[in-house]
Amino acid sequence: GVLDIGAADIADTGGALQLNGLITIKPDGSYKFNAQLAARDNSQPGLSRLLDTLGRQAGGKVSLSYSGTLPKL
């Protein structure tokens, strides 16, 4: 049979936090989410501290990766 997979690109529309990501969901409810976060500038110390807490890497970006299975409805 054909395996249907839903996928969506995720991107911000401006603001202090830059976000780029991708989410994929399979028919069995399993999903994968991958994204990168970064501050557009360092004028907001609270945002910079949060990104540091999340594990900011070289280049100022934080990589997030989640996977799992959605509950059945």
Side-chain angles (χ1 to χ4, degrees), residues 12-53:
D12 68 273
T13 58
L17 182 66
Q18 180 182 8
L19 168 77
N20 291 302
L22 177 69
I23 186 166
T24 57
I25 303 173
K26 294 182 180 179
D28 65 1
S30 62
Y31 68 88
K32 290 183 182 179
F33 172 73
N34 294 299
Q36 288 196 327
L37 308 172
R40 289 205 194 281
D41 61 51
N42 292 322
S43 66
Q44 296 188 17
L47 179 57
S48 289
R49 283 192 300 275
L50 173 65
L51 293 173
D52 288 341
T53 300

Side-chain angles (χ1 to χ4, degrees), residues 1-14:
V2 175
L3 179 62
D4 294 323
I5 298 177
D9 287 318
I10 301 167
D12 68 273
T13 58

